[in-house]
């Protein structure tokens, strides 16, 4: 198989394989729940696992663009929607577990948690921001919104990822090692974008051209390449 | 000090004696089975363990008749950050801790400062089995059959001076086998007011489920203060110091706005991350309401008369 230009059939196969791969943790967790191997506090184990997988899938989704650019394997882009939807699915599981199994839909308790605990507020905000992205993750919505507006909307994934890491950071009691690792990974993924953007800005400045006046030290709109 | 007896138990909560004893027997067998398997797993002969068993136990006062949390959960779901911050880490890592020789230094404002070895300490007073509720600040709880005797027996043996007002405790710390990352200020420290430490509920603990304490539960000896959040019940104790001033404690030093010196279980004062109004008893799915002083209000409320428990949390 030509890794750079796979056939449509091969792409379909890759998608199926990635889907199955991404489903393994969920199957593993479900098996653990039903066989009672999630430890003494299975609801908490479920809460942590679903939260961590949400973050992992978000980071994997954000890794697609840099990976594609570094390797030149452009069909990676065609996996991004599925990866993002997996992140959303984990977030739904995380929220549902919290509302239902943890708090048994006790809305007074839930309201207090949202209002009084910043990590809950931030986590919920991240979830709310994910909803429009999931809802517009189809060809119809892209057509309806137009590519540029769709892209602008979907840039909120950066904010979502930052909120997700803050949510994790805020909830640990003392040991920030784990949230720190997620924060570093996210910083790398966002940093590389910033760096490339800066390079592109300089290139366009140097090249001049229409719509790109030669003004030093002024932020100018970058025309995507 | 006048010791109040626990309130009468409503008839609805009394388990028929026969059923209760059957459960105890079953639990003892289950406990012994797991303990034996653990001993074998670590290359110890079961006989070696039996030789150091805790001997005859008397049923202590204040025991609850709530169903004890299974041995497996009590010994696998632990906070002992020196051995890792995941609940299952201590059970995996604490076995590396060398338990012999073990001594406990008792010093400070006492007439007779001394260093006790663990065998002497175990024999200082008759060992009792006390089934206590344990409530963690993370809003989960357990019921644990501890074995020990009131800490007061040890404190009286060293004769506190009139100037002593507080008791500071220190956990064993060995950077060779324990976490070196400064998650907390190691060694872990805790403290009580002297009257809290002398309270008959405060237990110097050597075992659980009739067995010696497993390493992850604070072997070879720990303190259990059942009306306070779990972190006040210091594990793997090596030093006790009587002082005039309130001692620094590990969690209070790490985050004073979140963890007070008193840390009394109080459903009305919530932690920034956890509402303390309810808790999940390990093994149960639904939450249950948290009781003031973890259900020991009748015994300990008078210790805090006139204090604002919202500021002294």
């Amino acid at each position: 198989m030509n890794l750079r230009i796979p056939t449509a059939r091969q792409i379909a196969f890759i998608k199926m394989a990635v889907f199955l791969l991404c489903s393994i943790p969920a199957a593993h967790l479900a098996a653990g729940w039903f066989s009672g191997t999630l430890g003494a506090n299975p609801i908490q184990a479920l809460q942590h696992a679903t939260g961590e997988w949400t973050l992992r899938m978000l980071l994997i989704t954000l890794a697609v663009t840099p990976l594609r650019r570094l390797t030149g394997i452009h069909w990676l882009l065609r996996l991004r929607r599925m990866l993002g939807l997996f992140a959303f699915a984990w977030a739904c599981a995380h929220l549902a577990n919290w509302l239902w199994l943890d708090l048994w839909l006790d809305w007074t308790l839930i309201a207090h948690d949202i209002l009084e605990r910043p990590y809950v507020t931030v986590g919920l905000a991240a979830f709310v921001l994910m909803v429009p992205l999931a809802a517009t993750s189809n060809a119809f919505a892209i057509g309806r919104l137009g590519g540029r507006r769709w892209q602008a909307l979907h840039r909120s994934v950066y904010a979502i990822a930052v909120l997700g890491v803050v949510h994790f950071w805020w909830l640990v009691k003392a040991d920030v090692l784990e949230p720190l690792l997620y924060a570093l990974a996210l910083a790398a993924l966002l940093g590389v974008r910033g760096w490339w953007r800066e390079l592109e800005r300089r290139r366009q400045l140097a090249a001049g051209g229409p719509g790109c006046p030669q003004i030093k030290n002024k932020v100018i709109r970058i025309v995507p390449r | 000090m006048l010791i109040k007896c626990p309130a009468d138990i409503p008839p609805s909560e009394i388990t028929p004696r026969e059923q209760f004893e059957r459960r105890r027997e079953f639990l003892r067998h289950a406990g012994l089975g797991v303990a034996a398997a653990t001993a074998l797993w670590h290359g110890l002969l079961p006989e070696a363990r039996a030789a150091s068993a805790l001997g005859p136990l008397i049923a202590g006062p204040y025991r609850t008749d709530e169903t004890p949390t299974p041995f497996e959960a009590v010994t696998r779901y632990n906070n002992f950050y020196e051995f890792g911050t995941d609940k299952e880490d201590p059970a995996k890592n604490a076995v590396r801790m060398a338990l012999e020789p073990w001594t406990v230094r008792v010093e400070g404002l006492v007439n007779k400062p001394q260093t006790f070895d663990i065998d002497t300490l175990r024999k200082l007073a008759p060992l009792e089995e006390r089934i206590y509720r344990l409530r963690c600040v993370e809003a989960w709880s357990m019921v644990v059959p501890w074995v020990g005797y009131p800490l007061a027996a040890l404190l009286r043996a060293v004769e506190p001076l009139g100037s002593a007002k507080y008791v500071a405790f220190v956990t064993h710390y060995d950077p060779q086998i324990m976490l070196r990352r400064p998650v907390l200020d190691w060694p872990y420290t805790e403290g009580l007011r002297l009257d809290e430490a002398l309270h008959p509920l405060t237990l110097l603990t050597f075992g659980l489920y009739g067995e010696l304490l497993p390493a992850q539960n604070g072997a070879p000896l720990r303190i259990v203060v059942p009306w306070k959040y779990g972190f006040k019940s210091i594990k793997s104790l090596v030093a006790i110091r009587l002082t005039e001033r309130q001692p620094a404690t590990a969690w209070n030093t790490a985050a004073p706005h979140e963890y007070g010196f008193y840390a009394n279980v109080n459903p009305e004062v919530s932690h920034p991350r956890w509402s303390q109004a309810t808790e999940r008893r390990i093994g149960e799915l639904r939450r249950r309401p948290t009781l003031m002083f973890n259900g020991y209000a009748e015994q300990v409320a008078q210790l805090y008369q006139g204090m604002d428990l919202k500021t002294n949390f």
Side-chain angles (χ1 to χ4, degrees):
Chain A
M1 158 181 156
N2 183 346
L3 197 65
R4 288 190 180 272
I5 315 153
T7 63
R9 263 180 76 100
Q10 283 166 335
I11 287 275
F13 177 79
I14 291 166
K15 275 189 174 174
M16 183 57 81
V18 171
F19 181 88
L20 290 175
L21 196 70
C22 287
S23 306
I24 290 173
H28 184 249
L29 209 55
W33 173 265
F34 289 110
S35 65
T37 53
L38 292 183
N41 197 347
I43 295 173
Q44 190 196 51
L46 217 55
Q47 195 62 20
H48 289 173
T50 50
E52 288 204 43
W53 276 110
T54 308
L55 274 178
R56 285 178 200 146
M57 290 312 302
L58 267 174
L59 294 177
I60 291 170
T61 310
L62 284 174
V64 167
T65 294
L67 210 62
R68 168 180 158 227
R69 196 167 153 164
L70 288 171
T71 60
I73 302 172
H74 295 291
W75 54 261
L76 284 175
L77 187 64
R78 298 177 63 177
L79 301 173
R80 192 169 62 181
R81 177 188 298 171
M82 183 166 54
L83 296 171
L85 283 172
F86 263 102
F88 182 67
W90 279 113
C92 289
H94 189 61
L95 182 73
N97 186 67
W98 175 63
L99 291 176
W100 184 36
L101 284 180
D102 195 14
L103 298 177
W104 291 93
L105 304 179
D106 181 336
W107 296 105
T108 330
L109 222 58
I110 292 164
H112 274 284
D113 261 1
I114 294 170
L115 296 174
E116 288 167 19
R117 292 172 229 297
Y119 85 90
V120 178
T121 320
V122 162
L124 195 68
F127 178 82
V128 169
L129 285 174
M130 279 176 107
V131 175
L133 304 202
T136 58
S137 66
N138 51 67
F140 174 75
I142 299 174
R144 193 69 198 274
L145 284 168
R148 198 170 283 276
R149 274 198 298 172
W150 183 90
Q151 199 179 24
L153 174 67
H154 279 245
R155 285 214 175 97
S156 61
V157 70
Y158 304 137
I160 291 165
V162 171
L163 290 174
V165 170
V166 169
H167 170 66
F168 188 18
W169 193 291
W170 242 335
L171 76 87
V172 298
K173 220 162 51 154
D175 189 12
V176 293
L177 179 66
E178 261 195 272
L180 180 69
L181 295 177
Y182 284 99
L184 289 175
L186 179 63
L189 290 171
L190 297 185
V192 74
R193 284 173 165 81
W195 174 239
W196 281 334
R197 209 177 151 86
E198 174 61 20
L199 289 184
E200 182 62 16
R201 190 182 74 90
R202 286 186 199 167
R203 193 194 64 80
Q204 290 185 14
L205 264 177
C212 185
Q214 298 275 352
I215 304 162
K216 291 259 160 157
N217 301 325
K218 188 178 173 223
V219 178
I220 53 158
R221 214 175 123 256
I222 302 157
V223 185
R225 251 214 295 196
Chain B
M1 191 200 316
L2 183 72
I3 302 164
K4 284 190 187 165
C5 282
D8 283 340
I9 304 161
S12 61
E13 286 187 12
I14 296 176
T15 315
R17 185 183 174 83
E18 201 187 312
Q19 201 181 325
F20 175 77
E21 281 176 350
R22 235 185 295 131
R23 190 190 72 208
R24 301 277 319 132
E25 199 177 319
F26 168 76
L27 289 170
R28 197 168 302 123
H29 287 156
L32 282 174
V34 174
T38 315
L40 277 174
W41 181 254
H42 298 303
L44 289 166
L45 291 171
E47 292 94 294
R49 236 185 122 76
S52 61
L54 290 159
L57 304 174
I58 52 178
Y62 307 115
R63 44 165 50 210
T64 167
D65 68 342
E66 286 172 64
T67 310
T69 304
F71 180 89
E72 182 72 12
V74 172
T75 55
R76 303 213 55 145
Y77 192 77
N78 307 104
N79 278 335
F80 196 158
Y81 274 14
E82 289 88 329
F83 290 109
T85 50
D86 270 358
K87 294 284 182 292
E88 311 222 334
D89 286 344
K92 282 181 225 146
N93 301 328
V95 288
R96 288 179 302 196
M97 184 161 53
L99 300 180
E100 279 174 14
W102 194 283
T103 57
V104 181
R105 210 165 66 241
V106 190
E107 57 191 15
L109 303 174
V110 294
N111 251 332
K112 296 178 174 170
Q114 17 185 334
T115 300
F116 295 87
D117 74 66
I118 184 72
D119 288 326
T120 313
L121 267 184
R122 247 185 235 123
K123 289 172 195 139
L124 196 74
L127 292 175
E128 301 171 13
E129 176 165 83
R130 291 195 183 184
I131 305 174
Y132 279 166
R133 288 176 288 270
L134 172 88
R135 171 64 155 76
C136 179
V137 70
E138 297 163 3
W140 53 265
S141 64
M142 291 181 174
V143 177
V144 187
W146 301 110
V147 177
Y149 56 76
L151 175 65
L154 170 59
L155 294 178
R156 293 217 177 88
V158 295
E159 298 175 9
L161 299 175
S163 53
K165 295 213 167 44
Y166 291 92
V167 188
F169 305 99
V170 183
T171 291
H172 173 61
Y173 179 60
D174 179 355
Q176 297 294 325
I177 56 162
M178 288 171 161
L179 209 64
R180 276 181 245 196
R181 273 189 292 130
V183 172
L184 291 167
D185 275 342
W186 314 124
Y188 187 92
T189 51
E190 255 310 331
L192 295 171
R193 228 167 47 192
L194 184 58
D195 58 344
E196 296 177 320
L198 288 172
H199 192 281
L201 273 175
T202 304
L203 200 69
L204 187 64
T205 307
F206 300 90
L208 58 80
Y209 270 104
E211 288 289 307
L212 289 168
L213 276 178
Q216 63 272 27
N217 293 87
L221 82 165
R222 64 176 295 171
I223 307 287
V224 175
V225 195
W227 71 92
K228 292 175 180 282
Y229 293 119
F231 67 87
K232 290 297 283 186
S233 294
I234 196 165
K235 289 172 164 175
S236 301
L237 185 66
V238 292
I240 299 177
R241 186 177 181 85
L242 281 82
T243 63
E244 200 171 349
R245 293 215 185 129
Q246 182 177 305
T249 67
W251 280 105
N252 185 230
T253 306
H257 302 296
E258 303 187 5
Y259 309 95
F261 174 79
Y262 285 96
N264 291 315
V265 175
N266 188 342
E268 283 155 32
V269 177
S270 66
H271 182 276
R273 274 180 306 260
W274 306 284
S275 158
Q276 300 296 8
T278 62
E279 66 198 49
R280 174 165 299 111
R281 179 68 54 82
I282 296 299
E284 294 177 354
L285 283 185
R286 300 200 78 133
R287 286 170 181 256
R288 51 165 74 207
T290 286
L291 305 172
M292 188 64 200
F293 295 115
N294 202 23
Y296 300 94
E298 251 185 282
Q299 287 82 32
V300 300
Q302 91 278 358
L303 292 174
Y304 309 101
Q305 250 165 22
M307 275 175 76
D308 179 358
L309 295 177
K310 285 202 161 71
T311 45
N312 297 290
F313 60 91

